[in-house]
Amino acid sequence: MSINATLIGQMITFALLVWFTMKYIWPPLFDSLEERKKKIADGLAAAEKGQEEILLAEKKAKGVIKEAKLQSSEIVNLAQKRANDLIEESKDTAKQEGERLIVAAKAQIEQEIQQAKEGLRQEVADLALNAAAQILGAEIDKAKHQDIISKVSKQLG
Amino acid sequence: MATEAHAAEGVTGYIIHHLTPLHVGEGFWTLNLDTLFFSAVLGGLFIWFFKTAAEKATSGVPGLVQNFAEMLIEFVDNQVKDSFHGESKLIAPLALTIFCWVFMWNFMDLFPVDILPLIGSMMGIEYLRVVPSTDLNATFAMSISVFCLIIFYSIKIKGPWGFAKELMFQPFGPWLLPFNLLLKLVEEIAKPISLALRLFGNLYAGELIFILIALLPWYIQPVLSFPWAIFHILIITLQAFIFMVLTIVYLSMAHEHH
């Protein structure tokens, strides 16, 4: 149990070990630790930021939804109004059309009545003339008595 | 010592045999080959392990090796940060080396006392003391290195005159200069001596107890050696830790102005 040259050998070994640790072992490992620490801190910060953004986005989305609801109800109202208008309009159109049809029909009926009257008048005149001719024989000249005939036929109308 | 071990037989012989290092040379120029060999191998193991971890070091998800290395690094770094407030590139790697190396020295204590000497004797090696920290040379080599660093940093930080002033004028002022000097010298020199002897004493005693247990009948041995080994796991870690922490404390004292 005595101090001897082993001491010197051990000191050299120790110095070498410390030097090697200081130069090649401590820095890379410690740096990687520090870097990871930074990464984790950054990650946490990013997560927090993300959460905040989610909250913000949720708020925004709620606003958008609200606005959309408002807009949609407005659109529905408008559409309803427009539909009512359309219905009113078509009702009017239909009424007008009906009236127009009625008027046209009436006119046609009138015309037809007139035509029929005219026809009848003509026929009656002819008949009357025929009858008169037969009664009076050939005494009545058609051209001569045109005035009288037309007067009569007017009285018939 | 070798001749004594040959002469003494029986129990004493066994004990002395176990505590005699494999050595060459005479007088001061004796080399304890087993201490040098085992501490170099353990140092190599330490370097190899941490170098592997350092090469693969990434800031991403660490592997098993890196995880363990980082755990130790962080542990040492915390210890350094707790007691050392200066800037130093040396002190943390130094503390890591001390902790790991001393721990591995001490760990050799947990191998059964006879197994490595038995293997050694099969290879023709007569003496083998496997625990480097039971060799005063190993513990003193480390503590004297630390002592040199203490002196170096004291002079570097405080300047030669500042350090000399601290030695001469504290704690009792310039009128008691010789007394101050004596007190300070004792205080400084006590540092490496206490460091070395504490580690040596603990491990030497521990190893001695293992040897004594090994002398008992085989059916008693486990009952005693099992609890002692478990207790020793605490001791070897604690001693490595104490050596490291005291080194940090001494060096931080060297960095401080009084």
Side-chain angles (χ1 to χ4, degrees):
Chain A
M1 202 46 54
S2 52
I3 297 293
N4 55 35
T6 313
L7 183 83
I8 297 163
Q10 286 292 98
M11 280 172 83
I12 293 168
T13 316
F14 182 52
L16 283 175
L17 283 178
V18 171
W19 169 78
F20 194 89
T21 310
M22 193 168 88
K23 187 123 188 167
Y24 298 108
I25 287 174
W26 188 271
L29 279 170
F30 194 70
D31 286 352
S32 80
L33 268 178
E34 289 294 304
E35 205 173 307
R36 177 149 355 102
K37 246 181 226 167
K38 202 177 153 287
K39 260 189 188 174
I40 290 171
D42 286 355
L44 285 177
E48 210 164 297
K49 211 178 145 205
Q51 217 126 32
E52 248 167 56
E53 262 165 23
I54 284 174
L55 279 181
L56 224 86
E58 250 169 33
K59 220 170 156 187
K60 210 171 156 188
K62 263 183 196 163
V64 167
I65 287 170
K66 208 172 160 191
E67 204 173 312
K69 265 185 189 162
L70 220 82
Q71 225 159 22
S72 70
S73 72
E74 216 168 276
I75 287 169
V76 166
N77 279 346
L78 227 98
Q80 214 139 31
K81 207 173 149 216
R82 177 103 186 90
N84 284 345
D85 282 2
L86 272 177
I87 288 167
E88 285 301 312
E89 211 172 291
S90 55
K91 264 185 192 164
D92 279 2
T93 320
K95 221 184 213 169
Q96 272 170 16
E97 183 74 11
E99 270 164 16
R100 198 180 58 78
L101 281 176
I102 289 165
V103 167
K106 267 184 183 163
Q108 209 170 353
I109 289 164
E110 193 73 25
Q111 206 185 348
E112 266 167 28
I113 289 169
Q114 283 300 325
Q115 247 170 14
K117 268 183 182 168
E118 195 67 36
L120 282 173
R121 194 184 293 142
Q122 202 66 43
E123 240 166 87
V124 169
D126 282 350
L127 276 175
L129 268 180
N130 260 350
Q134 274 170 10
I135 297 164
L136 298 174
E139 291 303 312
I140 296 170
D141 188 357
K142 214 178 186 179
K144 239 177 166 175
H145 303 99
Q146 188 63 44
D147 274 358
I148 304 161
I149 294 163
S150 54
K151 238 183 239 164
V152 172
S153 72
K154 244 177 210 149
Q155 276 170 343
L156 280 169
Chain B
M1 255 190 168
T3 46
E4 286 166 24
H6 274 300
E9 289 301 323
V11 171
T12 323
Y14 179 80
I15 294 172
I16 290 173
H17 182 263
H18 265 286
L19 292 173
T20 305
L22 177 70
H23 56 274
V24 290
E26 283 300 321
F28 177 74
W29 292 108
T30 310
L31 283 175
N32 294 348
L33 292 180
D34 44 10
T35 302
L36 287 170
F37 173 75
F38 281 110
S39 52
V41 166
L42 294 171
L45 211 65
F46 159 72
I47 291 290
W48 170 77
F49 176 78
F50 275 90
K51 188 74 191 130
T52 315
E55 267 164 9
K56 283 192 242 156
T58 115
S59 59
V61 180
L64 197 67
V65 172
Q66 197 192 342
N67 224 339
F68 185 65
E70 279 177 358
M71 194 186 81
L72 282 170
I73 293 245
E74 201 144 47
F75 162 70
V76 171
D77 191 50
N78 281 338
Q79 295 302 326
V80 172
K81 275 187 186 136
D82 279 351
S83 29
F84 182 73
H85 302 294
E87 268 292 319
S88 174
K89 289 219 174 310
L90 172 80
I91 190 158
L94 175 78
L96 178 72
T97 313
I98 288 177
F99 180 71
C100 294
W101 207 25
V102 171
F103 178 78
M104 288 162 101
W105 282 356
N106 296 352
F107 189 83
M108 296 301 290
D109 211 3
L110 290 176
F111 284 107
V113 284
D114 273 325
I115 189 148
L116 287 172
L118 186 69
I119 294 168
S121 72
M122 282 170 182
M123 285 159 34
I125 297 165
E126 199 179 345
Y127 293 102
L128 196 61
R129 195 175 51 180
V130 297
V131 189
S133 32
T134 55
D135 187 346
L136 268 178
N137 291 301
T139 60
F140 264 112
M142 201 175 255
S143 70
I144 288 172
S145 305
V146 170
F147 181 64
C148 292
L149 285 173
I150 293 171
I151 301 295
F152 172 75
Y153 277 114
S154 294
I155 291 171
K156 190 185 163 197
I157 302 291
K158 296 162 188 164
W161 177 235
F163 184 49
K165 264 205 302 198
E166 197 179 295
L167 286 181
M168 290 186 291
F169 301 147
Q170 283 181 5
F172 296 123
W175 296 110
L176 284 167
L177 192 145
F179 187 63
N180 286 341
L181 197 61
L182 186 73
L183 211 66
K184 274 284 176 186
L185 284 179
V186 168
E187 188 189 322
E188 291 299 322
I189 289 169
K191 286 174 185 173
I193 292 178
S194 67
L195 271 180
L197 287 183
R198 181 183 304 111
L199 179 60
F200 166 76
N202 270 283
L203 269 293
Y204 192 80
E207 181 74 351
L208 196 62
I209 287 175
F210 273 125
I211 294 168
L212 289 177
I213 290 169
L215 281 168
L216 296 170
W218 64 268
Y219 48 89
I220 303 178
Q221 281 184 30
V223 182
L224 292 172
S225 65
F226 179 65
W228 183 242
I230 287 181
F231 182 59
H232 226 64
I233 292 172
L234 177 70
I235 301 263
I236 62 177
T237 320
L238 194 67
Q239 286 305 320
F241 179 70
I242 288 173
F243 205 114
M244 177 191 76
V245 167
L246 284 180
T247 302
I248 298 167
V249 169
Y250 290 158
L251 283 177
S252 71
M253 277 161 74
H255 278 74
E256 274 162 16
H257 289 270
H258 289 287

